[in-house]
């Protein structure tokens, strides 16, 4: 028997109307490319978004059209998120750190109709424009007074909005209508498009608000350093409006000093980003001898949060939430808020749990399987490939039948390519990306674990563990590291000594290669692919000796 309740489609426009109506004093504060700080309340944001929606219609944007953005975190980017989806078009966020080749591929593949860009990116488009669709139109996200001299025809964002009505009857359509498009960074092969729906986006936004309920306090300020140009800034553009948080947008300046200043000025309560960002901020905190005022919560994800980083934040009373997910999951899948009963656990035990990637979010199912696809127990010991299922997980890739055919297993679960274990409380611990695991003598070594412990040494600022060819053991682990400033560089023996309390002897790295910097991907993670390329001429010490 069917229940008798109304069925209203879950649409992104409802989040906008809800946020603006429920939290009239909440603000979006943005560092602008114009060089100043801009503030607008949620109702002002809502009205400008409606004006933008009318402007998009006037530009001929229709249901299902793709409209691209190439922009930093700021209020205009937020307006685009809501206006594009609100009228039933698809907000295609582009990561400016992609290679020119990838950018050309995705804009052509998405068949974008309009491309909105920050002034910063005018030269970037100039360099690739000849390879982009001929009928693509460009809108620079600024006012007439700040329009740059572009070597191609551009429209002005504020001119488009001017004079448009602030009244709207948002269109209603099926909740499975596409609302957003984000391409994976495609470290191998072409990027693949995750096509989010209104339903998945609204559910993910609500899910994030629930998962963050202990820290998402109405009226407090949240700072997404995680970019709006990739994976929906972990859902913050939606969950902030659902919960009534002020949003503090850093714009292009994401170095430790700029972030510290902004956080201090805006009393940012909760800040979200990848580990490399927090390394910069921690450096600044050390320099200043204090944390930014009001800073109490940090969410770290996108790559494993090193234990030393978690300890540093927790010691200054900044609670760490460690999150895991991927483009194909909207993106968040697990989140590491500790339950109340862990309050009395010793500091080290709490940090152990925070070093894991947390428990599944409501609506996201996890399973780990062996090489034959058999389910493995959640006992904290069994390690297997991680599969996920849920309303916020992709069912395939946009216009890519080949990748779609490979995305799901026979039971409809999505293979993440990550290798993990899950304990009896449901805490999941990512061991590695399957392709980054180091295989020595038929046994696996987690590169993430090695990196984590190595980085707890004062002399090591950043580290990556990779496997290098070895005739007897197939692969052996080595460390590639960046030395910490002002601290003596440890020798490989000292490093092995330090690691030996955490690892079996055969798991210890055989060598260390010191580098100035580690290569990064477009999403701010260490690029093991490029690192392996950089070390193409490297030979294992034993082979060197025998040569
Ligand atoms: P891309 O790098 O292509 O943009 P995503 O942003 O979708 O890809 O990254 C997804 C991957 O990042 C995951 O599959 C996982 O390997 C890694 N990842 C994300 N969060 C964490 C985390 N907290 N700990 C370890 N690895 C993580």
């Amino acid at each position: 028997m069917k229940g008798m309740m109304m069925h209203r489609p879950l649409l992104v426009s409802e989040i906008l109307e809800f946020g603006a109506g429920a939290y009239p004093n909440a603000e979006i504060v943005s560092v602008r490319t114009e060089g100043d700080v801009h503030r607008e309340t949620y109702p002002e944001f809502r009205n400008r978004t409606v004006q933008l929606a009318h402007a998009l219609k006037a530009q001929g944007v229709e249901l299902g059209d793709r409209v691209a953005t190439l922009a930093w975190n700021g209020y205009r980017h937020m307006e685009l998120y809501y206006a594009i989806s609100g009228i039933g078009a698809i907000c295609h966020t582009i990561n400016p750190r992609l290679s020119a080749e990838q950018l050309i591929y995705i804009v052509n593949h998405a068949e974008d109709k309009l491309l909105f860009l920050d002034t910063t990116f005018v030269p970037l488009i100039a360099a690739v424009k000849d390879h982009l669709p001929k009928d693509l139109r460009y809108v620079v996200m600024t006012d007439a007074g700040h329009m740059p001299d572009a070597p191609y025809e551009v429209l002005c964002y504020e001119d488009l909005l001017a004079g448009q009505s602030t009244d709207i009857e948002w269109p209603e359509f099926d909740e499975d209508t596409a609302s957003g498009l984000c391409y994976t960074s495609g470290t191998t092969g072409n990027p693949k498009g995750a096509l989010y729906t209104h339903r998945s986006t609204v559910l993910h936004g609500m899910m994030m608000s629930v998962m963050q309920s202990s820290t998402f306090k109405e009226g407090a300020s949240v700072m997404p350093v995680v970019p709006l140009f990739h994976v929906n800034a972990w859902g913050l553009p939606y969950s902030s409006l659902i919960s009534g948080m002020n949003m503090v947008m850093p714009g292009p300046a994401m170095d430790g000093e700029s972030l510290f200043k902004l956080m201090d000025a805006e009393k940012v309560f909760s800040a979200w980003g990848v580990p490399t960002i927090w390394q910069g901020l921690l450096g600044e905190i050390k320099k200043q001898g204090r944390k930014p005022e009001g800073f109490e919560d940090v969410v770290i994800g996108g790559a494993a949060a090193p234990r030393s980083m978690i300890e540093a934040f927790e010691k200054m009373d900044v609670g760490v939430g460690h999150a895991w997910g991927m483009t194909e999951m909207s993106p968040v899948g697990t989140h590491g808020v500790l339950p109340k009963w862990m309050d009395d656990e010793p500091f080290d035990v709490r940090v152990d749990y925070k070093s894991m990637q947390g428990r599944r979010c409501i609506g996201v199912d996890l399973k780990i399987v062996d090489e034959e696809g058999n389910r493995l127990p959640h006992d904290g010991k069994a390690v297997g490939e991680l599969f996920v299922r849920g309303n916020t997980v992709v069912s395939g890739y946009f216009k890519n039948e080949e990748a779609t055919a490979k995305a799901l297993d026979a039971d409809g679960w999505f293979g993440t390519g990550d290798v993990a274990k899950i304990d009896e409380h449901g805490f999941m611990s990512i061991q590695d990306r399957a392709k980054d695991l180091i295989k020595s003598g038929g046994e696996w070594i987690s590169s993430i674990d090695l990196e984590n412990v190595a980085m707890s040494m004062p002399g090591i600022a950043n580290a990556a563990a990779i496997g290098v060819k070895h005739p007897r053991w197939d692969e052996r682990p080595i460390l590639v590291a960046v030395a910490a400033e002002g601290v003596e560089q440890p020798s490989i023996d000292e490093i092995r000594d330090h690691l030996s309390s955490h690892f079996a002897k055969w798991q210890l790295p055989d060598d260390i290669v010191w580098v100035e910097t580690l290569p990064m991907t477009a999403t701010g993670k260490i690029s093991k692919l490029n690192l392996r390329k950089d070390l193409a001429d490297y030979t294992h010490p034993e082979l060197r000796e025998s040569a």
Side-chain angles (χ1 to χ4, degrees):
M1 187 191 292
K2 274 201 157 189
M4 294 172 64
M5 300 304 284
M6 288 186 195
H7 185 279
R8 303 279 304 138
L10 299 174
L11 298 180
V12 164
S13 51
E14 161 61 6
I15 302 181
L16 176 69
E17 294 298 339
F18 171 76
Y23 312 114
N25 297 328
E27 277 187 319
I28 301 177
V29 180
S30 314
V31 175
R32 298 203 289 188
T33 50
E34 287 92 333
D36 56 355
V37 173
H38 172 273
R39 319 181 81 90
E40 68 184 12
T41 61
Y42 276 6
E44 285 163 350
F45 161 64
R46 181 262 171 208
N47 286 349
R48 281 174 51 85
T49 301
V50 171
Q51 290 183 304
L52 177 60
H54 291 304
L56 290 169
K57 294 295 275 181
Q59 289 296 316
V61 177
E62 306 275 351
L63 192 81
D65 282 344
R66 272 75 71 196
V67 176
T69 67
L70 190 61
W72 303 111
N73 289 4
Y75 65 107
R76 293 188 183 112
H77 207 171
M78 281 287 290
E79 291 161 3
L80 283 160
Y81 259 64
Y82 280 95
I84 298 169
S85 307
I87 62 167
I90 301 167
C91 180
H92 170 208
T93 53
I94 302 177
N95 183 343
R97 300 192 188 115
L98 292 177
S99 67
E101 193 188 337
Q102 288 173 329
L103 196 148
I104 292 166
Y105 172 83
I106 66 170
V107 174
N108 282 293
H109 187 264
E111 300 173 85
D112 294 319
K113 198 160 181 176
L114 281 175
L115 191 154
F116 285 78
L117 66 162
D118 266 335
T119 49
T120 331
F121 300 121
V122 169
L124 196 145
I125 287 296
V128 294
K129 195 180 161 289
D130 288 349
H131 305 281
L132 300 182
K134 296 283 165 278
D135 51 358
L136 179 60
R137 277 165 296 140
Y138 303 88
V139 183
V140 180
M141 294 160 65
T142 188
D143 54 32
H146 291 89
M147 281 297 279
D149 278 334
Y152 46 95
E153 202 181 315
V154 288
L155 299 165
C156 168
Y157 186 94
E158 293 299 334
D159 285 356
L160 291 189
L161 261 68
Q164 298 286 358
S165 165
T166 54
D167 289 333
I168 198 164
E169 197 66 53
W170 289 106
E172 273 192 19
F173 32 75
D174 190 294
E175 63 184 13
D176 287 323
T177 303
S179 63
L181 175 64
C182 177
Y183 285 77
T184 62
S185 21
T187 40
T188 49
N190 279 326
K192 296 180 293 223
L195 190 61
Y196 311 113
T197 64
H198 280 261
R199 173 184 154 81
S200 69
T201 305
V202 172
L203 288 175
H204 185 271
M206 295 201 288
M207 175 188 98
M208 290 307 290
S209 295
V210 172
M211 298 312 291
Q212 285 295 128
S213 54
S214 57
T215 55
F216 260 33
K217 300 181 179 162
E218 181 187 338
S221 297
V222 62
M223 180 177 75
V225 186
V226 49
L228 271 80
F229 61 65
H230 190 61
V231 294
N232 310 314
W234 299 350
L236 282 170
Y238 307 106
S239 54
S240 303
L241 266 87
I242 293 172
S243 296
M245 304 280 285
N246 300 311
M247 299 184 81
V248 179
M249 305 289 211
M254 288 178 272
D255 59 287
E257 192 184 337
S258 308
L259 290 179
F260 189 105
K261 232 170 99 187
L262 181 65
M263 290 172 79
D264 222 20
E266 296 300 329
K267 303 201 175 39
V268 167
F269 174 80
S270 175
W272 295 43
V274 294
T276 35
I277 291 291
W278 304 133
Q279 253 163 4
L281 182 73
L282 283 170
E284 186 61 21
I285 289 176
K286 201 167 161 198
K287 226 196 261 167
Q288 303 256 356
R290 66 173 181 96
K291 65 175 181 177
E293 209 184 318
F295 183 30
E296 287 184 33
D297 178 62
V298 64
V299 177
I300 312 178
R307 193 186 166 90
S308 47
M309 180 174 285
I310 298 173
E311 278 176 357
F313 278 126
E314 291 278 336
K315 279 184 184 155
M316 58 179 88
D317 285 329
V318 174
V320 173
H322 190 181
W324 165 88
M326 57 199 308
T327 310
E328 289 90 335
M329 298 177 70
S330 303
V332 182
T334 64
H335 191 257
V337 174
L338 301 191
K340 181 84 185 127
W341 57 264
M342 279 194 191
D343 281 359
D344 299 329
E345 294 289 335
F347 182 79
D348 280 353
V349 174
R350 291 173 56 80
V351 173
D352 284 345
Y353 274 95
K354 294 217 166 186
S355 301
M356 295 190 228
Q357 279 74 6
R359 290 172 293 174
R360 73 188 184 96
C361 298
I362 173 89
V364 181
D365 244 353
L366 309 176
K367 71 171 179 182
I368 45 173
V369 302
D370 65 16
E371 278 168 18
E372 278 83 49
N374 303 310
R375 274 202 187 215
L376 294 168
H378 295 187
D379 59 4
K381 294 188 195 88
V383 174
E385 188 177 346
L386 180 63
F387 281 75
V388 293
R389 187 171 70 173
N391 290 311
T392 52
V393 180
V394 293
S395 58
Y397 292 99
F398 180 52
K399 290 201 307 180
N400 189 336
E401 281 172 26
E402 198 188 333
T404 296
K406 289 190 211 147
L408 309 184
D409 73 5
D411 300 322
W413 293 68
F414 175 81
T416 64
D418 284 340
V419 174
K421 54 187 176 185
I422 302 172
D423 77 6
E424 50 280 13
H425 300 299
F427 277 86
M428 191 266 285
S429 158
I430 296 279
Q431 302 298 293
D432 232 324
R433 280 202 162 184
K435 57 182 189 297
D436 292 336
L437 269 173
I438 302 164
K439 195 172 191 187
S440 175
E443 298 285 342
W444 297 107
I445 306 170
S446 157
S447 67
I448 293 185
D449 282 352
L450 279 178
E451 289 156 8
N452 234 323
V453 184
M455 273 193 270
S456 66
M457 293 189 83
I460 298 184
N462 206 354
I466 56 167
V468 295
K469 288 246 163 310
H470 190 281
R472 174 147 178 232
W473 304 113
D474 190 18
E475 266 186 353
R476 286 295 302 151
I478 64 160
L479 276 179
V480 186
V482 179
E485 267 176 51
V487 186
E488 203 181 324
Q489 223 166 280
S491 68
I492 180 66
D493 288 338
E494 284 166 334
I495 293 169
R496 285 168 59 86
D497 210 39
H498 176 80
L499 293 171
S500 60
S501 54
H502 296 83
F503 295 95
K505 197 154 176 273
W506 62 270
Q507 294 176 316
L508 298 177
D510 288 347
D511 196 9
I512 181 146
V513 177
W514 294 101
V515 290
E516 288 291 312
T517 53
L518 287 166
M520 290 287 165
T521 67
T523 49
K525 307 172 199 193
I526 295 170
S527 168
K528 299 246 166 119
L529 190 80
N530 286 340
L531 192 58
R532 286 195 195 96
K533 276 189 202 152
D534 292 350
L535 293 177
D537 294 333
Y538 175 89
T539 42
H540 189 273
E542 281 172 31
L543 300 180
R544 260 179 262 158
E545 280 151 24
S546 63

